[in-house]
Amino acid sequence: MINISIKREGLLIKHSVVKMLDEKDLEFVEALRSLNVPRNVATMITYLANTSEATSREIEMGTDLRQPEVSIAMRTLRQK
């Protein structure tokens, strides 16, 4: 987990806790990969299965995917 605080002029504007994928999660990603699921989609599925909701930026930080990879994975999931 990562704690993120955004402050402006000394005032706390937003505080978020971002889940990071752990070893067990990475094993699940690899299991999906063995079923020919693309890496970015497998990572996204694993991350979303462990969170109630997340912004695109939180997904990027929690999965170590780049913004274009997150967008492509989301498009693929929406189409499926």
Side-chain angles (χ1 to χ4, degrees):
M1 301 269 185
I2 297 176
N3 287 309
I4 300 170
S5 295
I6 300 172
K7 294 182 179 181
R8 186 171 299 162
E9 298 176 15
L11 297 174
L12 180 64
I13 295 173
K14 180 179 180 182
H15 178 79
S16 298
V17 177
V18 178
K19 184 210 183 314
M20 302 294 294
L21 296 180
D22 60 21
E23 287 299 317
K24 186 176 177 181
D25 296 325
L26 296 176
E27 288 177 20
F28 190 71
V29 170
E30 289 308 312
L32 291 172
R33 294 281 295 126
S34 72
L35 299 172
N36 294 321
V37 175
R39 180 187 59 84
N40 61 338
V41 175
T43 303
M44 179 81 73
I45 289 169
T46 303
Y47 187 80
L48 293 175
N50 290 295
T51 59
S52 57
E53 62 180 43
T55 65
S56 177
R57 183 69 183 127
E58 290 168 341
I59 294 168
E60 289 175 48
M61 291 186 302
T63 62
D64 205 26
L65 292 173
R66 296 176 300 115
Q67 186 278 321
E69 294 174 305
V70 171
S71 295
I72 291 168
M74 287 303 297
R75 185 177 332 122
T76 300
L77 291 172
R78 280 188 205 105
Q79 290 171 347
K80 302 287 180 186

